[in-house]
Amino acid sequence: MLSEEPEEQLPKENGQKAMDRADRRLSRRERESRLLVKRSEDYDVFDNVFDVPTLMIINDLKDDGVIHQIRGSLAAGKESKVYTAIAPDGTLRILKIYLTVSAEFKKRLQYIAGDPRFSDIKPGSRSLIAAWARKEFKNMLAARAAGVRVPRPIAVKKNVLVMEFVGDSEGNAVRPLIESKVTSGDYRQVIEQVTILYQKARLVHADLSEYNIFKTDSGIMLFDFGSAVDVQHPNSKQFLVRDVMNVNRFFEKRGIEVLDAVQAVEKIKGENK
Ligand SMILES: Nc1ncnc2c1ncn2[C@@H]1O[C@H](COP(=O)(O)OP(=O)(O)O)[C@@H](O)[C@H]1O
Ligand SMILES: [Mg+2]
């Protein structure tokens, strides 16, 4: 202590200067203790939800400068939980954390089995979940590269996927179609996005519905690529038909005229000659 602040003992010290310095010291301590509080808040958010390996991955992401701090929880699904986080530059990010083994995962193995990109997966739950997160990350990269409107994927580490936050400047997340007013223009955009996904990215979403399609100020966006499959996947046709039927059913319910499902599928595949 003394060696850090020797000037304090000088009798001619200007009183104001000493007080300023004390203030600075205090605010530094305050800052530090606030950081500590924030750190422990992070752990409260995750209390009893995540295992130690997941907490360690979150720490790694902090060390790597991918995130600075967890902000709060946004959504909880059967296979994953979604959190908002603050990046070191102050922008918001999304953490999608895949949960350790669930019955749902086993059921959904069919989406990974048969996809040549994931042929090296060892049985054993943790690596399977990591593969799932990696698959979603790769699918998002491929979709984005092809020009499909999806959140920008930033990093993937084991079961944790980091992507850009999509929402307004106040930190409110964008709303899914189920919570939005929709128009025939929105329907046209959905079909357009699914078409680019199929023809340019060579992917079928396979979990498309009013819950995974979002309406932003600048247009329709597709989320949630964990189930997407390559068009070569043996079930891709079946998944595409189901996706189109889900989309049609939703827009029809909202009183919007939709394409015939068979025609829509042909259009998406580029077979409507
Ligand atoms: N990049 C993002 N920006 C804003 N909100 C997001 C983002 N990603 C996910 N969300 C929110 O989290 C929810 C769940 O994410 P999703 O990827 O659909 O996971 P799940 O497999 O649990 O459905 C979304 O419906 C959306 O409300
Ligand atoms: Mg979803």
Side-chain angles (χ1 to χ4, degrees), residues 237 241 244-245 248 259-269 271-272:
K237 171 82 196 287
V241 170
V244 166
M245 285 172 61
N248 274 3
L259 296 168
D260 169 75
V262 175
Q263 270 180 351
V265 168
E266 283 175 356
K267 183 178 154 80
I268 289 162
K269 295 170 84 178
E271 291 168 352
N272 53 334

Side-chain angles (χ1 to χ4, degrees), residues 80 96 205 207 209 211-214 223-224:
S80 65
K96 183 168 178 177
H205 187 285
D207 190 22
S209 75
Y211 297 93
N212 285 330
I213 305 173
F214 287 72
F223 279 35
D224 204 354

Side-chain angles (χ1 to χ4, degrees), residues 13 25 46 71 93 122 137-138 168 197 204 213 234 262:
E13 175 76 13
R25 258 200 333 270
F46 294 119
R71 183 166 168 264
R93 290 189 168 166
K122 295 169 214 83
F137 184 79
K138 283 187 185 178
D168 65 19
L197 187 66
V204 171
I213 305 173
V262 175

Side-chain angles (χ1 to χ4, degrees), residues 139-262:
N139 288 339
M140 290 174 87
L141 278 183
R144 243 183 112 81
V148 183
R149 295 167 44 81
V150 307
R152 182 172 66 89
I154 293 168
V156 65
K157 204 158 199 165
K158 301 280 174 69
N159 59 324
V160 181
L161 168 62
V162 187
M163 64 184 120
E164 79 171 321
F165 170 85
V166 183
D168 65 19
S169 54
E170 264 131 58
N172 303 304
V174 68
R175 309 308 320 164
L177 287 192
I178 183 78
E179 295 172 22
S180 309
K181 275 204 177 124
V182 292
T183 64
S184 54
D186 294 328
Y187 177 71
R188 190 183 41 73
Q189 278 192 47
V190 172
I191 298 296
E192 194 176 90
Q193 293 299 303
V194 175
T195 302
I196 305 171
L197 187 66
Y198 190 95
Q199 293 188 15
K200 300 258 168 64
R202 310 298 290 159
L203 288 173
V204 171
H205 187 285
D207 190 22
L208 208 60
S209 75
E210 56 273 33
Y211 297 93
N212 285 330
I213 305 173
F214 287 72
K215 189 167 171 170
T216 75
D217 290 344
S218 45
I220 290 294
M221 276 182 102
L222 307 185
F223 279 35
D224 204 354
F225 278 76
S227 303
V229 295
D230 193 278
V231 297
Q232 301 293 338
H233 188 286
N235 300 338
S236 76
K237 171 82 196 287
Q238 183 193 325
F239 294 150
L240 178 61
V241 170
R242 193 179 61 194
D243 281 355
V244 166
M245 285 172 61
N246 285 343
V247 169
N248 274 3
R249 195 185 315 112
F250 169 74
F251 278 94
E252 268 189 313
K253 246 192 305 188
R254 296 288 184 96
I256 286 160
E257 201 183 322
V258 300
L259 296 168
D260 169 75
V262 175

Side-chain angles (χ1 to χ4, degrees), residues 13 36 92 101 105 108 116 126 149 176 179 184 186:
E13 175 76 13
L36 280 178
L92 285 180
V101 126
F105 258 110
R108 291 181 139 216
R126 207 166 279 286
R149 295 167 44 81
E179 295 172 22
S184 54
D186 294 328

Side-chain angles (χ1 to χ4, degrees), residues 103-116 118 128 132 135 206 226-230 233-236 238-239 242:
E104 192 68 16
F105 258 110
K106 289 181 189 142
K107 204 168 80 200
R108 291 181 139 216
L109 242 177
Q110 56 166 328
Y111 294 86
I112 272 189
D115 187 325
F118 301 95
L128 179 64
W132 193 273
K135 175 181 189 249
S227 303
V229 295
D230 193 278
H233 188 286
N235 300 338
S236 76
Q238 183 193 325
F239 294 150
R242 193 179 61 194

